Amino acid sequence: MSGAESTFDEAKLEALAGKVIGDVAGALSLYMAYLGDQAGVFDALDGEDPMTLDQLAAKTGQNPKYLHEWLGSVCAAGYVTYDAETETFSLSEEQALVLGREGQPACMQGFIQAVVSQYEENEKSVEIFKSGKGRPWGDHSQCLFCGTDRFFRPGYEANLIEQWIPALGGVKDKLEAGAKVADVGCGHGSSTILMAKAYPQSHFVGIDFHEPSIEEAQRKACEAGLTNVEFAVATAQDYPGDGFDFACIFDALHDMGDPVGAARHVRESMKPDGTFMLVEPMAGDSMAENMHPLGQIFYAFSTTVCTPNSLSQDVGLGLGAQAGQKRLTEVLQEAGWKDVRRAAETPTNMVLEATA
């Protein structure tokens, strides 16, 4: 303190301490929600009349002592409804949609699972943060891959076919007639498979540099019985093939070390009249515009996942998950895309259309 006497505002101190207590409660509530999801407790409550502790324990086969403590936490959080008069527990329709019902757009369990994955490997995150070194995507817990796919998949299912593709100039007609499509950075292949199902006349190639994710994507495509989709392990800067009519990157360009090189290779692999759809996290063009809960969340994941992955690769541009449309447009134009516009958006994503 350089010998100076510390002074502070008592009211501001109390307010900040109160906020931190609330944040601690929230962090633990997410952990409890994860436990309840993995143990099937939310599913056991969903659609049932209010249940006593013993009834819930009998249905789930779980230790009532653990359930008692868990219910105390999630009920205090508002995740489960507690009736003090009857000492019963239930899920409202809203609670069921947010904390259960896999695949519904409102379900937040994928987001929660991704958060848990970051706490799982906190020591490595501290090491990377302090050193300034990169950390590749494949170095993270498997829980991150599953959680990320689980969170984004319902949003793609709700918007990709019905909203985003129709918002692009002429792309829907091409896909219905039969087009060649590259889904770059496809991860577990949810977006690729969704499009392949919707447009059986078109052929889809899912590309990702993370081999375990490609193996999972292949498994899912085989399970779905699709014959118009294939997957390849390659980077966005060197994947094989050309003559693509349409290409897309979902929530992945900002993770790449060389996003300009990736966008350039996408352009070079396409027909002259091809369209590139870039889906990125919703963000303003300045940090000041992102001072809200969603920005807080995306900046946090960017600190431990997105930026370290970028810094682990050649160039290491480190766009971050809150790059914003202006910066993304600069990247696309540097890569040779002349026209860039926002074609669609949701509360969590912006959809950019680029043409040469």
Side-chain angles (χ1 to χ4, degrees), residues 59-324:
K59 182 173 182 180
T60 60
Q62 291 166 352
N63 189 323
K65 293 186 182 296
Y66 286 148
L67 278 176
H68 180 274
E69 303 306 299
W70 180 84
L71 286 163
S73 179
V74 294
C75 288
Y79 293 179
V80 173
T81 300
Y82 174 56
D83 187 321
E85 291 187 6
T86 61
E87 295 189 349
T88 56
F89 307 91
S90 62
L91 280 188
S92 68
E93 185 69 10
E94 295 76 17
Q95 289 166 334
L97 285 168
V98 171
L99 296 159
R101 301 191 185 174
E102 184 72 21
Q104 292 297 313
C107 180
M108 298 293 288
Q109 286 292 354
F111 229 164
I112 293 169
Q113 188 171 357
V115 170
V116 171
S117 77
Q118 296 311 288
Y119 281 98
E120 182 180 344
E121 299 191 332
N122 64 87
E123 292 182 1
K124 188 64 174 288
S125 293
V126 171
E127 175 191 333
I128 295 298
F129 185 79
K130 291 171 67 176
S131 72
K133 297 178 181 178
R135 184 184 186 187
W137 178 255
D139 190 43
H140 286 270
S141 160
Q142 183 65 28
C143 190
L144 174 63
F145 310 132
C146 297
T148 301
D149 179 71
R150 191 179 178 193
F151 171 71
F152 282 117
R153 185 174 65 250
Y156 299 159
E157 289 177 347
N159 296 289
L160 176 56
I161 305 303
E162 298 298 325
Q163 303 294 332
W164 296 349
I165 287 177
L168 306 173
V171 171
K172 181 181 178 182
D173 291 341
K174 287 184 179 181
L175 293 174
E176 289 176 342
K180 185 178 179 181
V181 182
D183 186 1
V184 184
C186 67
H188 284 192
S190 292
S191 51
T192 325
I193 291 169
L194 186 62
M195 291 187 290
K197 287 180 178 178
Y199 302 106
Q201 300 304 315
S202 292
H203 184 77
F204 297 83
V205 182
I207 300 151
D208 202 285
F209 76 111
H210 186 235
E211 187 170 358
S213 289
I214 287 296
E215 290 173 354
E216 177 65 12
Q218 290 171 328
R219 185 192 67 78
K220 289 183 176 179
C222 182
E223 190 176 79
L226 295 170
T227 59
N228 62 330
V229 61
E230 62 181 289
F231 293 95
V233 178
T235 73
Q237 294 81 14
D238 67 4
Y239 63 84
D242 55 21
F244 291 101
D245 299 283
F246 178 51
C248 41
I249 297 180
F250 293 86
D251 292 293
L253 187 76
H254 66 270
D255 292 298
M256 298 178 185
D258 184 13
V260 175
R264 182 181 295 116
H265 185 65
V266 169
R267 180 178 58 81
E268 292 170 348
S269 71
M270 297 183 72
K271 293 179 180 177
D273 64 346
T275 300
F276 178 26
M277 179 177 71
L278 178 64
V279 180
E280 279 286 299
M282 179 60 71
D285 293 323
S286 67
M287 182 176 283
E289 295 174 80
N290 301 322
M291 293 293 101
H292 47 69
L294 190 61
Q296 177 185 350
I297 291 167
F298 281 137
Y299 276 128
F301 275 113
S302 191
T303 302
T304 59
V305 181
C306 309
T307 300
N309 185 72
S310 178
L311 296 185
S312 74
Q313 300 176 1
D314 291 342
V315 181
L317 189 62
L319 275 178
Q322 293 287 269

